[in-house]
PDB file of all heavy atoms in Angstrom:
ATOM      1  N   VAL E  27      31.140 105.224  93.056  1.00 97.00           N
ATOM      2  CA  VAL E  27      29.956 104.912  93.852  1.00 97.00           C
ATOM      3  C   VAL E  27      30.168 105.585  95.196  1.00 97.00           C
ATOM      4  O   VAL E  27      31.239 105.451  95.800  1.00 97.00           O
ATOM      5  CB  VAL E  27      29.797 103.390  94.044  1.00 97.00           C
ATOM      6  CG1 VAL E  27      28.619 103.090  94.950  1.00 97.00           C
ATOM      7  CG2 VAL E  27      29.622 102.695  92.702  1.00 97.00           C
ATOM      8  N   CYS E  28      29.176 106.326  95.679  1.00 96.00           N
ATOM      9  CA  CYS E  28      29.366 107.053  96.936  1.00 96.00           C
ATOM     10  C   CYS E  28      28.108 107.013  97.792  1.00 96.00           C
ATOM     11  O   CYS E  28      26.992 106.916  97.284  1.00 96.00           O
ATOM     12  CB  CYS E  28      29.792 108.499  96.676  1.00 96.00           C
ATOM     13  SG  CYS E  28      28.658 109.454  95.645  1.00 96.00           S
ATOM     14  N   GLY E  29      28.317 107.074  99.110  1.00 95.00           N
ATOM     15  CA  GLY E  29      27.205 107.051 100.045  1.00 95.00           C
ATOM     16  C   GLY E  29      27.705 107.198 101.465  1.00 95.00           C
ATOM     17  O   GLY E  29      28.904 107.424 101.702  1.00 95.00           O
ATOM     18  N   PRO E  30      26.826 107.041 102.450  1.00 94.00           N
ATOM     19  CA  PRO E  30      27.246 107.115 103.855  1.00 94.00           C
ATOM     20  C   PRO E  30      28.310 106.065 104.143  1.00 94.00           C
ATOM     21  O   PRO E  30      28.176 104.908 103.733  1.00 94.00           O
ATOM     22  CB  PRO E  30      25.946 106.824 104.619  1.00 94.00           C
ATOM     23  CG  PRO E  30      24.858 107.235 103.680  1.00 94.00           C
ATOM     24  CD  PRO E  30      25.362 106.882 102.316  1.00 94.00           C
ATOM     25  N   VAL E  31      29.357 106.454 104.847  1.00 91.00           N
ATOM     26  CA  VAL E  31      30.519 105.589 105.038  1.00 91.00           C
ATOM     27  C   VAL E  31      30.172 104.309 105.795  1.00 91.00           C
ATOM     28  O   VAL E  31      30.812 103.270 105.589  1.00 91.00           O
ATOM     29  CB  VAL E  31      31.645 106.365 105.741  1.00 91.00           C
ATOM     30  CG1 VAL E  31      31.294 106.641 107.206  1.00 91.00           C
ATOM     31  CG2 VAL E  31      32.968 105.635 105.627  1.00 91.00           C
ATOM     32  N   ASP E  32      29.143 104.347 106.650  1.00 91.00           N
ATOM     33  CA  ASP E  32      28.826 103.148 107.420  1.00 91.00           C
ATOM     34  C   ASP E  32      28.207 102.049 106.566  1.00 91.00           C
ATOM     35  O   ASP E  32      28.044 100.921 107.029  1.00 91.00           O
ATOM     36  CB  ASP E  32      27.916 103.484 108.613  1.00 91.00           C
ATOM     37  CG  ASP E  32      26.602 104.143 108.203  1.00 91.00           C
ATOM     38  OD1 ASP E  32      26.348 104.280 106.997  1.00 91.00           O
ATOM     39  OD2 ASP E  32      25.839 104.519 109.118  1.00 91.00           O
ATOM     40  N   ARG E  33      27.885 102.353 105.306  1.00 93.00           N
ATOM     41  CA  ARG E  33      27.393 101.317 104.394  1.00 93.00           C
ATOM     42  C   ARG E  33      28.523 100.720 103.555  1.00 93.00           C
ATOM     43  O   ARG E  33      28.310  99.792 102.787  1.00 93.00           O
ATOM     44  CB  ARG E  33      26.301 101.884 103.478  1.00 93.00           C
ATOM     45  CG  ARG E  33      25.063 102.341 104.223  1.00 93.00           C
ATOM     46  CD  ARG E  33      23.804 102.277 103.379  1.00 93.00           C
ATOM     47  NE  ARG E  33      23.753 103.239 102.301  1.00 93.00           N
ATOM     48  CZ  ARG E  33      22.978 104.326 102.285  1.00 93.00           C
ATOM     49  NH1 ARG E  33      22.231 104.612 103.351  1.00 93.00           N
ATOM     50  NH2 ARG E  33      22.958 105.128 101.256  1.00 93.00           N
ATOM     51  N   PHE E  34      29.740 101.250 103.714  1.00 90.00           N
ATOM     52  CA  PHE E  34      30.891 100.787 102.930  1.00 90.00           C
ATOM     53  C   PHE E  34      31.794  99.946 103.835  1.00 90.00           C
ATOM     54  O   PHE E  34      32.872 100.365 104.242  1.00 90.00           O
ATOM     55  CB  PHE E  34      31.661 101.973 102.365  1.00 90.00           C
ATOM     56  CG  PHE E  34      30.979 102.631 101.191  1.00 90.00           C
ATOM     57  CD1 PHE E  34      29.726 103.214 101.334  1.00 90.00           C
ATOM     58  CD2 PHE E  34      31.584 102.660  99.943  1.00 90.00           C
ATOM     59  CE1 PHE E  34      29.088 103.814 100.250  1.00 90.00           C
ATOM     60  CE2 PHE E  34      30.958 103.264  98.858  1.00 90.00           C
ATOM     61  CZ  PHE E  34      29.707 103.837  99.013  1.00 90.00           C
ATOM     62  N   THR E  35      31.328  98.752 104.168  1.00 86.00           N
ATOM     63  CA  THR E  35      32.077  97.907 105.087  1.00 86.00           C
ATOM     64  C   THR E  35      32.144  96.479 104.567  1.00 86.00           C
ATOM     65  O   THR E  35      31.288  96.031 103.809  1.00 86.00           O
ATOM     66  CB  THR E  35      31.407  97.883 106.475  1.00 86.00           C
ATOM     67  OG1 THR E  35      30.060  97.406 106.326  1.00 86.00           O
ATOM     68  CG2 THR E  35      31.394  99.261 107.111  1.00 86.00           C
ATOM     69  N   GLY E  36      33.184  95.781 104.985  1.00 84.00           N
ATOM     70  CA  GLY E  36      33.314  94.346 104.793  1.00 84.00           C
ATOM     71  C   GLY E  36      33.091  93.865 103.378  1.00 84.00           C
ATOM     72  O   GLY E  36      33.611  94.432 102.406  1.00 84.00           O
ATOM     73  N   GLU E  37      32.321  92.782 103.248  1.00 88.00           N
ATOM     74  CA  GLU E  37      32.082  92.161 101.954  1.00 88.00           C
ATOM     75  C   GLU E  37      31.356  93.100 101.000  1.00 88.00           C
ATOM     76  O   GLU E  37      31.524  92.993  99.785  1.00 88.00           O
ATOM     77  CB  GLU E  37      31.284  90.873 102.133  1.00 88.00           C
ATOM     78  CG  GLU E  37      32.048  89.770 102.868  1.00 88.00           C
ATOM     79  CD  GLU E  37      31.225  88.516 102.999  1.00 88.00           C
ATOM     80  OE1 GLU E  37      30.055  88.522 102.558  1.00 88.00           O
ATOM     81  OE2 GLU E  37      31.743  87.519 103.543  1.00 88.00           O
ATOM     82  N   VAL E  38      30.539  94.004 101.529  1.00 90.00           N
ATOM     83  CA  VAL E  38      29.836  94.967 100.673  1.00 90.00           C
ATOM     84  C   VAL E  38      30.846  95.816  99.912  1.00 90.00           C
ATOM     85  O   VAL E  38      30.714  96.040  98.700  1.00 90.00           O
ATOM     86  CB  VAL E  38      28.893  95.860 101.505  1.00 90.00           C
ATOM     87  CG1 VAL E  38      28.316  96.979 100.643  1.00 90.00           C
ATOM     88  CG2 VAL E  38      27.779  95.039 102.114  1.00 90.00           C
ATOM     89  N   THR E  39      31.876  96.261 100.620  1.00 91.00           N
ATOM     90  CA  THR E  39      32.902  97.088  99.987  1.00 91.00           C
ATOM     91  C   THR E  39      33.647  96.300  98.918  1.00 91.00           C
ATOM     92  O   THR E  39      33.910  96.814  97.825  1.00 91.00           O
ATOM     93  CB  THR E  39      33.888  97.617 101.040  1.00 91.00           C
ATOM     94  OG1 THR E  39      33.190  98.478 101.931  1.00 91.00           O
ATOM     95  CG2 THR E  39      35.023  98.396 100.383  1.00 91.00           C
ATOM     96  N   ASP E  40      33.987  95.058  99.210  1.00 93.00           N
ATOM     97  CA  ASP E  40      34.679  94.234  98.218  1.00 93.00           C
ATOM     98  C   ASP E  40      33.836  94.090  96.952  1.00 93.00           C
ATOM     99  O   ASP E  40      34.347  94.164  95.829  1.00 93.00           O
ATOM    100  CB  ASP E  40      34.988  92.851  98.794  1.00 93.00           C
ATOM    101  CG  ASP E  40      36.020  92.910  99.907  1.00 93.00           C
ATOM    102  OD1 ASP E  40      36.826  93.862  99.917  1.00 93.00           O
ATOM    103  OD2 ASP E  40      36.022  92.009 100.756  1.00 93.00           O
ATOM    104  N   TRP E  41      32.539  93.903  97.131  1.00 95.00           N
ATOM    105  CA  TRP E  41      31.633  93.769  95.980  1.00 95.00           C
ATOM    106  C   TRP E  41      31.521  95.096  95.223  1.00 95.00           C
ATOM    107  O   TRP E  41      31.535  95.118  93.984  1.00 95.00           O
ATOM    108  CB  TRP E  41      30.270  93.302  96.466  1.00 95.00           C
ATOM    109  CG  TRP E  41      29.264  93.148  95.370  1.00 95.00           C
ATOM    110  CD1 TRP E  41      29.186  92.139  94.448  1.00 95.00           C
ATOM    111  CD2 TRP E  41      28.176  94.038  95.089  1.00 95.00           C
ATOM    112  NE1 TRP E  41      28.131  92.352  93.599  1.00 95.00           N
ATOM    113  CE2 TRP E  41      27.489  93.512  93.977  1.00 95.00           C
ATOM    114  CE3 TRP E  41      27.719  95.219  95.661  1.00 95.00           C
ATOM    115  CZ2 TRP E  41      26.366  94.122  93.417  1.00 95.00           C
ATOM    116  CZ3 TRP E  41      26.601  95.827  95.111  1.00 95.00           C
ATOM    117  CH2 TRP E  41      25.950  95.291  94.020  1.00 95.00           C
ATOM    118  N   LEU E  42      31.443  96.206  95.952  1.00 96.00           N
ATOM    119  CA  LEU E  42      31.375  97.517  95.306  1.00 96.00           C
ATOM    120  C   LEU E  42      32.640  97.808  94.500  1.00 96.00           C
ATOM    121  O   LEU E  42      32.577  98.410  93.423  1.00 96.00           O
ATOM    122  CB  LEU E  42      31.161  98.613  96.351  1.00 96.00           C
ATOM    123  CG  LEU E  42      29.789  98.665  97.024  1.00 96.00           C
ATOM    124  CD1 LEU E  42      29.785  99.695  98.151  1.00 96.00           C
ATOM    125  CD2 LEU E  42      28.689  98.981  96.010  1.00 96.00           C
ATOM    126  N   ILE E  43      33.789  97.387  95.032  1.00 96.00           N
ATOM    127  CA  ILE E  43      35.043  97.561  94.304  1.00 96.00           C
ATOM    128  C   ILE E  43      34.976  96.856  92.959  1.00 96.00           C
ATOM    129  O   ILE E  43      35.301  97.427  91.906  1.00 96.00           O
ATOM    130  CB  ILE E  43      36.230  97.032  95.136  1.00 96.00           C
ATOM    131  CG1 ILE E  43      36.512  97.965  96.312  1.00 96.00           C
ATOM    132  CG2 ILE E  43      37.486  96.879  94.274  1.00 96.00           C
ATOM    133  CD1 ILE E  43      37.527  97.408  97.298  1.00 96.00           C
ATOM    134  N   GLN E  44      34.538  95.612  92.954  1.00 95.00           N
ATOM    135  CA  GLN E  44      34.450  94.840  91.720  1.00 95.00           C
ATOM    136  C   GLN E  44      33.495  95.484  90.718  1.00 95.00           C
ATOM    137  O   GLN E  44      33.796  95.579  89.523  1.00 95.00           O
ATOM    138  CB  GLN E  44      34.011  93.410  92.037  1.00 95.00           C
ATOM    139  CG  GLN E  44      35.001  92.627  92.872  1.00 95.00           C
ATOM    140  CD  GLN E  44      34.443  91.288  93.320  1.00 95.00           C
ATOM    141  OE1 GLN E  44      33.371  90.871  92.877  1.00 95.00           O
ATOM    142  NE2 GLN E  44      35.165  90.624  94.205  1.00 95.00           N
ATOM    143  N   ARG E  45      32.335  95.933  91.217  1.00 96.00           N
ATOM    144  CA  ARG E  45      31.339  96.539  90.325  1.00 96.00           C
ATOM    145  C   ARG E  45      31.844  97.872  89.763  1.00 96.00           C
ATOM    146  O   ARG E  45      31.604  98.195  88.593  1.00 96.00           O
ATOM    147  CB  ARG E  45      30.012  96.762  91.072  1.00 96.00           C
ATOM    148  CG  ARG E  45      29.321  95.528  91.582  1.00 96.00           C
ATOM    149  CD  ARG E  45      29.160  94.452  90.505  1.00 96.00           C
ATOM    150  NE  ARG E  45      28.547  95.001  89.309  1.00 96.00           N
ATOM    151  CZ  ARG E  45      28.898  94.661  88.064  1.00 96.00           C
ATOM    152  NH1 ARG E  45      29.886  93.796  87.873  1.00 96.00           N
ATOM    153  NH2 ARG E  45      28.285  95.200  87.030  1.00 96.00           N
ATOM    154  N   THR E  46      32.533  98.655  90.572  1.00 97.00           N
ATOM    155  CA  THR E  46      33.031  99.956  90.111  1.00 97.00           C
ATOM    156  C   THR E  46      34.120  99.778  89.065  1.00 97.00           C
ATOM    157  O   THR E  46      34.134 100.484  88.038  1.00 97.00           O
ATOM    158  CB  THR E  46      33.559 100.784  91.295  1.00 97.00           C
ATOM    159  OG1 THR E  46      32.533 100.907  92.292  1.00 97.00           O
ATOM    160  CG2 THR E  46      33.972 102.179  90.849  1.00 97.00           C
ATOM    161  N   ILE E  47      35.048  98.875  89.297  1.00 97.00           N
ATOM    162  CA  ILE E  47      36.108  98.605  88.321  1.00 97.00           C
ATOM    163  C   ILE E  47      35.503  98.124  87.005  1.00 97.00           C
ATOM    164  O   ILE E  47      35.905  98.568  85.917  1.00 97.00           O
ATOM    165  CB  ILE E  47      37.107  97.579  88.883  1.00 97.00           C
ATOM    166  CG1 ILE E  47      37.929  98.201  90.010  1.00 97.00           C
ATOM    167  CG2 ILE E  47      38.035  97.067  87.777  1.00 97.00           C
ATOM    168  CD1 ILE E  47      38.846  97.229  90.715  1.00 97.00           C
ATOM    169  N   ALA E  48      34.527  97.223  87.087  1.00 96.00           N
ATOM    170  CA  ALA E  48      33.887  96.712  85.870  1.00 96.00           C
ATOM    171  C   ALA E  48      33.165  97.826  85.118  1.00 96.00           C
ATOM    172  O   ALA E  48      33.212  97.886  83.880  1.00 96.00           O
ATOM    173  CB  ALA E  48      32.920  95.591  86.231  1.00 96.00           C
ATOM    174  N   ALA E  49      32.500  98.718  85.851  1.00 97.00           N
ATOM    175  CA  ALA E  49      31.784  99.825  85.214  1.00 97.00           C
ATOM    176  C   ALA E  49      32.745 100.763  84.502  1.00 97.00           C
ATOM    177  O   ALA E  49      32.497 101.188  83.367  1.00 97.00           O
ATOM    178  CB  ALA E  49      30.971 100.590  86.262  1.00 97.00           C
ATOM    179  N   ALA E  50      33.845 101.103  85.166  1.00 97.00           N
ATOM    180  CA  ALA E  50      34.829 101.996  84.558  1.00 97.00           C
ATOM    181  C   ALA E  50      35.449 101.355  83.319  1.00 97.00           C
ATOM    182  O   ALA E  50      35.688 102.031  82.307  1.00 97.00           O
ATOM    183  CB  ALA E  50      35.911 102.357  85.568  1.00 97.00           C
ATOM    184  N   ALA E  51      35.706 100.048  83.380  1.00 96.00           N
ATOM    185  CA  ALA E  51      36.265  99.353  82.228  1.00 96.00           C
ATOM    186  C   ALA E  51      35.290  99.360  81.055  1.00 96.00           C
ATOM    187  O   ALA E  51      35.696  99.504  79.899  1.00 96.00           O
ATOM    188  CB  ALA E  51      36.617  97.919  82.619  1.00 96.00           C
ATOM    189  N   GLU E  52      34.007  99.224  81.358  1.00 96.00           N
ATOM    190  CA  GLU E  52      32.987  99.252  80.304  1.00 96.00           C
ATOM    191  C   GLU E  52      32.936 100.620  79.619  1.00 96.00           C
ATOM    192  O   GLU E  52      32.837 100.713  78.393  1.00 96.00           O
ATOM    193  CB  GLU E  52      31.624  98.894  80.890  1.00 96.00           C
ATOM    194  CG  GLU E  52      30.511  98.824  79.859  1.00 96.00           C
ATOM    195  CD  GLU E  52      29.187  98.398  80.447  1.00 96.00           C
ATOM    196  OE1 GLU E  52      29.154  97.934  81.613  1.00 96.00           O
ATOM    197  OE2 GLU E  52      28.165  98.538  79.747  1.00 96.00           O
ATOM    198  N   VAL E  53      33.007 101.674  80.424  1.00 96.00           N
ATOM    199  CA  VAL E  53      32.993 103.024  79.839  1.00 96.00           C
ATOM    200  C   VAL E  53      34.263 103.247  79.021  1.00 96.00           C
ATOM    201  O   VAL E  53      34.210 103.803  77.915  1.00 96.00           O
ATOM    202  CB  VAL E  53      32.859 104.093  80.945  1.00 96.00           C
ATOM    203  CG1 VAL E  53      32.944 105.492  80.340  1.00 96.00           C
ATOM    204  CG2 VAL E  53      31.540 103.924  81.696  1.00 96.00           C
ATOM    205  N   SER E  54      35.402 102.815  79.539  1.00 95.00           N
ATOM    206  CA  SER E  54      36.668 102.948  78.802  1.00 95.00           C
ATOM    207  C   SER E  54      36.577 102.239  77.455  1.00 95.00           C
ATOM    208  O   SER E  54      37.010 102.772  76.419  1.00 95.00           O
ATOM    209  CB  SER E  54      37.824 102.367  79.617  1.00 95.00           C
ATOM    210  OG  SER E  54      38.017 103.079  80.814  1.00 95.00           O
ATOM    211  N   GLU E  55      36.014 101.045  77.459  1.00 94.00           N
ATOM    212  CA  GLU E  55      35.869 100.287  76.208  1.00 94.00           C
ATOM    213  C   GLU E  55      34.964 101.030  75.230  1.00 94.00           C
ATOM    214  O   GLU E  55      35.243 101.074  74.019  1.00 94.00           O
ATOM    215  CB  GLU E  55      35.301  98.908  76.512  1.00 94.00           C
ATOM    216  CG  GLU E  55      35.187  98.011  75.280  1.00 94.00           C
ATOM    217  CD  GLU E  55      34.665  96.626  75.604  1.00 94.00           C
ATOM    218  OE1 GLU E  55      34.459  96.326  76.803  1.00 94.00           O
ATOM    219  OE2 GLU E  55      34.448  95.842  74.661  1.00 94.00           O
TER     220      GLU E  55
END
């Protein structure tokens, strides 16, 4: 997931991390 760095802060980043890991795991499966 990529975008302007000022949108990747705090709790938003933590949530994006979870969603990205889950997405990659789904594709791997």
